Amino acid sequence: MIELEVVILSAVTAERKTTWPRYCSPVYVALSSSIIYIYVHYSTSHSPLCIFQLSINAFDYNCHVDLIKLLKQEGELFRLRKARQKMSELFPLTEEIWLDWLKDEIRLTEEEPNREKVYELFERAVNDYICPDIWLEYAQYSIGGMGSPGGIDRVRAIFERAVTAVGLHMTKGQTVWEAYREFENAILSTVQVCVSITSRDLLDMEATYAEYEEWSEHGVPETVIHQYKKALQQMEKCKSFEESLMVAEPPKLAEYQGYIDFELKEGDPARIQITFERTLAENCLVPDMWAKYTTYLDRQLKIKDLVLSTHERAVRNCPWTMGLWKSYLLALERHGADHQTVSDVFEKALNAGFIQATDYVEIWQAYLDYLRRRVDFKSSKELEELRGAFSRSLDYMKQDVEERFGESGDPSCIIMQIWARIEALHCKNMQKARELWDNIMTKGNAKFANMWLEYYNLERSYGDPIHCRKALHRAVQCTSDYPEHVCEVLLTFERVEGSLEDWDVAVQKTETRLNRINEQRAKAAEKEANLARQEEERAEQRRKAKSEKKTQKKFQKGTRTGEKRKAEQDDYQDEWNEDSAPKRHRGNGDHTTDEYMETETGLFGRNAPPGYKPGPPGNKKVQQAAAATPQRQKDDNPELRNDNTSVFISNLAYTLEEPESKLRTLFETCGPITQIRPVFSNKGTFKGYCYVQFESPVSVPEALKLDRREVEGRPMFVSPCVDKNKNPDFKVFKYNTSMEKHKIFISGLPFSCTKEQLEELCKSHGTIKEVRLVTYRSGKPKGLAYVEFADETQASQAVLRMDGMDVEGNKISVAISNPPRRNMMDKPGTSRPMSDMMPRQVYGSRGRGRTGLSLLPRSLHRQSAPVSKVENGTAAEQVTASSAANAAGEPKPLSNSDFARMLLNK
């Protein structure tokens, strides 16, 4: 059956016509301003379509595989050979594709003169991957040419290479050794190969050793016995790893990773190499595995041919990985490759198709570093080549990279900075260096203090005082992030270098600039204060609206009668028993933490609701709380309490057993204890907080020193015991909403970083007053920290030098502490959010019921506004106008008749 295929390619130029197969007839169709080709051909397969797709994208791996399969089905062996050849030039072929290709070529070249072509093909195959099956096929094919001159030596050489490459393969290496032994036995040449087998750790080695023992006339030498036993021990160590590989599902990456780690600890280079090769045969597209293998070869084996061939295989398998190309360039330079070879590899890297703009910056940096190391700065040839490469890199970033990614990938102009430093240091050409820095500043870097200071340091080292002064004056006018620091550097420079006139000019410029900056900051602070005041007013309106709504609901509930009222009272009793207590405010670093606790006024934390009556003695929840009754009675005795001699303990684990005895042991070092009152729920379970009362107020400061002491894996919070009902304005910590110029905020820290390590890291930048790591309530670190310095200058210096620093593999961000404007709903003294204030669903005397369907019309449902994320220096988004309106005035409750009219109208 003849199949008609039509392929349309839009916006193709007329020159592409020559690339199509001759059996495809192009038909030109004019559409708008584009030229469209319609290729019509008759075929019984889809191979022309694959050829068409490959002409558009030659790097389509799957299309190459499909074309090879289709041509093999059609029996087009010569076209199949060409397709395989084309694919092998672009990609390393898999073991299956190589074996199919080799077998087809062996059938096509039965004549003797053509055997050399097959030998060349085998050499290419064994270079892609180290595969036992390919080596075995190679050795067996070479046996066929044993009758030619030097044939036996050639076969033996191939077998030697095979056992060296894959002889230690635990599962497949045995077949190569058996074939080698059979070959030697057949020609009755030597027994050395059989002897050497006993020193290799292969599966079924016992059978091989028994065969050798039976075959030997003079017994087994002691050295062979020793090596045999040693190999058996090694095989026993590897047995568990081999068994895990047998049962694992492909690609078995985790199992291979464990195997590699084991072999690296053992330290046998041959076994490490074969384990890496086995892993990469099944995980050839894992860049990290290639990087780990090449790193081991670069640092340990350092064999030129092995190292360079492995690097080449790595970039052929994962061409999109910049790190592999960078390592390849370094390896070529390390092993003395010629300049043309290094340049060719670099050009291939540029065409590899990296996925990030920064990858192109790094590969250019690696190549420019290589070129710089070649220059002796006495010969103009290498120097001009280096300058040409720098110019080409800038053009490449501006044209190719920006066009593809929308950014250059080098916003700080690192390449130009390196070029300027080379011109100043090695070429003594400060004029060129200044031109480069002028270009850097025009690319949006003039507002950053660190860029101006870098330029100033260059002028200070290789320039003259006049240009140093010019650079600092320009920096004072342009810098917007840290103007104080730049001004201080200018004044320091004039103290050392300048005249009185220069000093007066510098003072005038710095004062003018700083006054302008302070005015701008004052306006911004005033604007922020106005926004905060408006937010407070809206919060007060919402609080009043909630209070009125709550009073109205209580009045409605008090008017209900009969069984319904009795059931509601029972449920309302449970509601109050289970509800959290009022908030207690305590300090938590630069942010406050609101904690709920039970007040000292009673079990419920507030007065019982109107109409409340205690439940009957048979109430199930009362029976469950019987165990905690003595403790509550003790807590309800006001005569035993004294807030002046008490501290409040919170953030304890709910599962803490015998909290009273454990806390007594912890706090008795602070002074004599009168009583410890742990707070329990209505069911008798510990609620995670308690009160510790001492005999004397002198013990309270000592107890407060135990704040954040770890108790069973959680930080314990210790704070003064203050009744918020009597002292509503009491605050342990006042939240700071203004910029703290003497304090820096660090993010991105590793979770393993300790306070001592961070202090050691920061102390070189100034005098440290306090270091605080931010943690969750559970004690786990957040990766954030605040460091307070003695003054603003030291904090600014720390930001400039530490921002972007690498700490244990993590790139940290450092900025001046600028806490966000706090959400008024979270401030102490404000009411809780609407969702928290709404009482839980009250059910009737028959319980909740079997259905969860809501009988409230959709139009009456209200959605809460989402909570926005707050970061250093940012504020939460404002509450929408609609939600503010709802909070300011709630609609009048609807009666049953109102609902009936609404439903009838619909």
Side-chain angles (χ1 to χ4, degrees):
M1 180 178 181
I2 297 178
E3 177 184 2
L4 175 64
E5 296 182 359
V6 178
V7 182
I8 302 178
L9 176 62
S10 179
V12 181
T13 58
E15 286 76 7
R16 295 298 299 270
K17 178 178 64 174
T18 58
T19 63
W20 297 99
R22 58 177 178 271
Y23 48 81
C24 296
S25 302
V27 179
Y28 302 95
V29 179
L31 180 61
S32 299
S33 60
S34 301
I35 299 177
I36 298 181
Y37 283 148
I38 303 180
Y39 288 92
V40 184
H41 64 272
Y42 294 92
S43 175
T44 57
S45 72
H46 292 277
S47 57
L49 182 59
C50 293
I51 298 174
F52 166 77
Q53 293 173 347
L54 289 176
S55 66
I56 300 175
N57 181 13
F59 290 91
D60 191 338
Y61 184 90
N62 294 327
C63 192
H64 279 285
V65 175
D66 293 339
L67 178 60
I68 291 173
K69 290 180 179 179
L70 291 171
L71 293 176
K72 187 174 180 62
Q73 292 176 1
E74 296 175 3
E76 296 281 349
L77 296 182
F78 291 100
R79 291 176 57 198
L80 177 61
R81 175 190 292 174
K82 187 177 180 180
R84 286 167 170 166
Q85 180 70 27
K86 184 65 176 178
M87 184 177 181
S88 66
E89 294 174 358
L90 300 175
F91 305 100
L93 305 184
T94 62
E95 181 180 4
E96 293 77 10
I97 296 177
W98 271 120
L99 289 174
D100 289 342
W101 188 3
L102 291 167
K103 291 176 182 178
D104 290 341
E105 290 295 333
I106 291 173
R107 287 196 299 267
L108 289 174
T109 57
E110 294 293 340
E111 299 180 1
E112 189 72 21
N114 294 328
R115 293 184 65 88
E116 290 300 325
K117 294 183 179 179
V118 180
Y119 282 129
E120 293 176 1
L121 197 61
F122 269 114
E123 289 296 331
R124 292 174 54 190
V126 297
N127 287 329
D128 271 358
Y129 299 105
I130 298 181
C131 300
D133 292 338
I134 295 178
W135 275 109
L136 182 61
E137 189 73 22
Y138 189 11
Q140 291 176 344
Y141 178 76
S142 66
I143 294 175
M146 190 170 55
S148 59
I152 295 179
D153 293 337
R154 186 171 194 172
V155 174
R156 184 175 289 120
I158 293 174
F159 267 118
E160 285 294 335
R161 292 174 57 197
V163 296
T164 301
V166 298
L168 293 180
H169 198 291
M170 289 289 293
T171 56
K172 296 183 179 180
Q174 177 194 2
T175 57
V176 179
W177 282 104
E178 288 181 352
Y180 193 6
R181 189 173 62 254
E182 291 175 0
F183 166 74
E184 293 292 345
N185 287 333
I187 64 174
L188 299 176
S189 174
T190 179
V191 300
Q192 184 62 34
V193 175
C194 297
V195 174
S196 64
I197 289 177
T198 59
S199 62
R200 306 298 180 95
D201 47 344
L202 301 173
L203 294 178
D204 285 340
M205 190 166 51
E206 295 88 346
T208 304
Y209 179 77
E211 182 181 352
Y212 171 67
E213 187 177 21
E214 180 181 356
W215 177 76
S216 178
E217 297 178 355
H218 304 288
V220 181
E222 289 296 329
T223 56
V224 175
I225 295 175
H226 174 72
Q227 293 174 348
Y228 171 65
K229 291 180 179 180
K230 184 179 179 181
L232 282 177
Q233 294 175 357
Q234 182 65 29
M235 185 176 66
E236 189 65 26
K237 293 180 183 179
C238 300
K239 188 175 181 181
S240 60
F241 294 101
E242 294 294 338
E243 290 176 350
S244 64
L245 288 174
M246 290 179 183
V247 299
E249 294 290 334
K252 312 175 186 179
L253 185 59
E255 290 76 12
Y256 275 121
Q257 184 63 60
Y259 205 167
I260 291 172
D261 294 339
F262 164 75
E263 293 293 355
L264 288 173
K265 291 180 181 179
E266 291 292 314
D268 186 351
R271 293 205 54 78
I272 294 173
Q273 182 185 355
I274 192 61
T275 307
F276 267 117
E277 292 292 348
R278 291 177 61 185
T279 305
L280 292 170
E282 296 190 45
N283 299 273
C284 59
L285 300 180
V286 180
D288 291 341
M289 188 58 63
W290 282 107
K292 189 172 183 179
Y293 186 25
T294 54
T295 301
Y296 169 77
L297 295 178
D298 287 334
R299 297 178 180 178
Q300 300 297 328
L301 295 187
K302 301 180 181 179
I303 302 174
K304 178 180 179 180
D305 294 338
L306 177 61
V307 170
L308 296 184
S309 63
T310 305
H311 276 288
E312 183 181 6
R313 290 160 55 204
V315 296
R316 289 187 66 199
N317 279 277
C318 304
W320 63 88
T321 307
M322 183 278 305
L324 297 178
W325 287 100
K326 185 176 179 180
S327 300
Y328 191 11
L329 291 174
L330 291 173
L332 288 170
E333 182 183 3
R334 193 177 295 118
H335 291 280
D338 61 272
H339 176 58
Q340 187 60 43
T341 302
V342 178
S343 300
D344 291 343
V345 171
F346 171 70
E347 295 297 334
K348 291 180 181 178
L350 289 182
N351 297 323
F354 299 141
I355 59 177
Q356 294 179 354
T358 54
D359 290 342
Y360 288 95
V361 178
E362 291 193 39
I363 199 65
W364 267 109
Q365 283 181 326
Y367 183 60
L368 293 171
D369 292 344
Y370 158 74
L371 293 178
R372 197 272 306 165
R373 288 189 286 266
R374 293 183 66 247
V375 180
D376 60 1
F377 296 100
K378 295 180 181 179
S379 173
S380 60
K381 180 179 180 181
E382 289 81 3
L383 180 58
E384 291 303 320
E385 183 180 5
L386 176 62
R387 285 172 172 166
F390 270 112
S391 299
R392 182 192 168 196
S393 67
L394 299 180
D395 294 338
Y396 189 89
M397 293 298 163
K398 184 177 180 181
Q399 299 175 4
D400 298 66
V401 177
E402 285 189 9
E403 181 179 352
R404 178 179 176 186
F405 298 97
E407 57 172 338
S408 66
D410 190 14
S412 299
C413 303
I414 299 297
I415 293 179
M416 276 197 285
Q417 289 188 42
I418 296 173
W419 189 4
R421 188 161 290 274
I422 290 175
E423 292 287 352
L425 174 62
H426 297 290
C427 304
K428 312 301 180 184
N429 188 356
M430 279 302 300
Q431 183 62 33
K432 180 63 176 180
R434 293 182 185 116
E435 292 176 1
L436 291 171
W437 267 104
D438 287 340
N439 195 7
I440 291 173
M441 292 305 180
T442 58
K443 293 184 179 296
N445 293 302
K447 60 183 178 180
F448 300 117
N450 62 328
M451 300 297 289
W452 283 109
L453 294 179
E454 185 71 22
Y455 177 35
Y456 164 73
N457 291 331
L458 183 70
E459 288 284 359
R460 192 70 170 162
S461 300
Y462 311 107
D464 52 69
I466 297 177
H467 287 90
C468 288
R469 183 175 290 108
K470 288 182 179 180
L472 290 177
H473 278 284
R474 291 174 61 191
V476 169
Q477 296 299 323
C478 299
T479 301
S480 60
D481 54 351
Y482 299 106
E484 295 88 352
H485 186 65
V486 174
C487 292
E488 182 181 357
V489 173
L490 174 58
L491 295 177
T492 302
F493 172 78
E494 296 298 354
R495 282 193 179 98
V496 178
E497 300 282 348
S499 62
L500 178 60
E501 182 181 357
D502 296 331
W503 170 261
D504 292 338
V505 173
V507 171
Q508 181 180 358
K509 284 193 174 183
T510 54
E511 288 181 352
T512 303
R513 177 61 176 168
L514 292 179
N515 289 336
R516 188 183 303 114
I517 292 293
N518 291 332
E519 290 176 1
Q520 295 174 355
R521 291 174 178 173
K523 291 181 180 179
E526 182 181 0
K527 183 178 180 181
E528 187 175 356
N530 292 333
L531 293 175
R533 185 168 55 254
Q534 295 175 4
E535 191 173 354
E536 289 180 358
E537 294 175 357
R538 287 194 294 267
E540 181 65 19
Q541 294 177 358
R542 290 194 294 268
R543 188 190 65 77
K544 291 181 180 180
K546 290 178 182 178
S547 178
E548 294 175 358
K549 181 179 179 182
K550 184 177 179 181
T551 304
Q552 189 177 22
K553 285 186 177 181
K554 287 183 178 179
F555 176 76
Q556 292 177 355
K557 291 179 180 178
T559 59
R560 299 179 182 177
T561 58
E563 292 293 330
K564 184 175 181 180
R565 175 172 180 173
K566 182 177 182 300
E568 288 176 352
Q569 289 176 353
D570 294 339
D571 291 336
Y572 206 35
Q573 171 188 349
D574 297 337
E575 175 83 15
W576 283 93
N577 289 343
E578 298 175 2
D579 196 12
S580 300
K583 290 184 180 180
R584 180 181 72 89
H585 299 278
R586 70 182 311 279
N588 186 15
D590 291 282
H591 304 276
T592 59
T593 301
D594 295 335
E595 299 176 356
Y596 290 91
M597 68 180 186
E598 210 164 335
T599 64
E600 293 284 82
T601 58
L603 171 65
F604 300 111
R606 48 184 168 177
N607 296 330
Y612 166 75
K613 294 181 181 180
N619 188 289
K620 181 177 180 181
K621 293 186 178 181
V622 174
Q623 292 176 356
Q624 293 175 347
T629 301
Q631 179 66 35
R632 292 198 191 100
Q633 292 175 353
K634 184 178 179 181
D635 293 347
D636 292 339
N637 190 351
E639 297 178 357
L640 300 178
R641 301 183 189 138
N642 185 356
D643 290 348
N644 295 328
T645 61
S646 301
V647 292
F648 178 72
I649 314 300
S650 61
N651 202 45
L652 298 172
Y654 295 156
T655 58
L656 184 65
E657 298 180 358
E658 299 181 359
E660 184 173 355
S661 61
K662 292 185 178 180
L663 293 176
R664 184 177 296 276
T665 303
L666 187 61
F667 284 94
E668 62 185 1
T669 59
C670 303
I673 298 176
T674 301
Q675 62 174 337
I676 296 179
R677 304 191 299 277
V679 181
F680 295 90
S681 67
N682 195 34
K683 298 181 180 180
T685 57
F686 181 50
K687 298 186 73 173
Y689 53 92
C690 68
Y691 301 88
V692 178
Q693 183 173 338
F694 298 95
E695 293 181 1
S696 172
V698 180
S699 303
V700 173
E702 297 297 324
L704 294 176
K705 295 179 181 178
L706 298 179
D707 186 36
R708 299 188 182 273
R709 173 73 63 84
E710 188 171 301
V711 177
E712 294 192 0
R714 291 175 63 89
M716 172 183 67
F717 296 160
V718 184
S719 57
C721 184
V722 178
D723 190 350
K724 292 294 291 182
N725 294 328
K726 298 179 181 179
N727 299 278
D729 297 330
F730 174 79
K731 297 179 182 178
V732 176
F733 176 82
K734 184 177 181 181
Y735 184 82
N736 196 341
T737 58
S738 61
M739 178 179 292
E740 301 169 291
K741 299 180 182 179
H742 62 287
K743 186 182 295 185
I744 64 174
F745 173 74
I746 306 176
S747 61
L749 288 169
F751 293 153
S752 60
C753 183
T754 63
K755 182 178 179 180
E756 291 74 16
Q757 292 174 340
L758 186 58
E759 186 173 357
E760 182 69 22
L761 188 66
C762 299
K763 70 180 184 181
S764 61
H765 306 299
T767 304
I768 297 176
K769 298 179 63 177
E770 182 185 4
V771 175
R772 186 181 68 81
L773 295 175
V774 184
T775 63
Y776 293 98
R777 292 175 61 88
S778 62
K780 296 181 179 180
K782 291 186 176 182
L784 310 175
Y786 290 88
V787 180
E788 183 178 356
F789 287 90
D791 53 43
E792 300 177 8
T793 303
Q794 296 178 359
S796 300
Q797 191 71 14
V799 170
L800 290 174
R801 296 183 179 179
M802 294 179 61
D803 188 32
M805 180 184 293
D806 185 82
V807 178
E808 296 182 8
N810 290 31
K811 187 176 181 180
I812 63 172
S813 298
V814 185
I816 295 296
S817 175
N818 185 18
R821 180 164 49 85
R822 192 177 178 203
N823 192 341
M824 297 305 297
M825 297 302 294
D826 295 337
K827 279 192 175 182
T830 58
S831 57
R832 293 169 60 187
M834 179 67 74
S835 60
D836 294 341
M837 293 299 297
M838 293 295 291
R840 287 189 287 260
Q841 179 65 40
V842 179
Y843 307 115
S845 58
R846 298 180 63 185
R848 179 173 182 174
R850 297 180 179 275
T851 179
L853 296 177
S854 174
L855 299 180
L856 187 66
R858 294 191 188 95
S859 59
L860 299 182
H861 281 291
R862 292 188 298 272
Q863 298 181 352
S864 59
V867 181
S868 59
K869 182 178 180 182
V870 181
E871 300 178 355
N872 183 52
T874 61
E877 294 180 1
Q878 301 293 329
V879 181
T880 60
S882 61
S883 63
N886 290 337
E890 294 291 338
K892 181 179 179 181
L894 300 178
S895 63
N896 291 339
S897 59
D898 294 332
F899 281 108
R901 284 195 297 270
M902 292 175 61
L903 295 174
L904 290 176
N905 291 335
K906 290 183 177 297

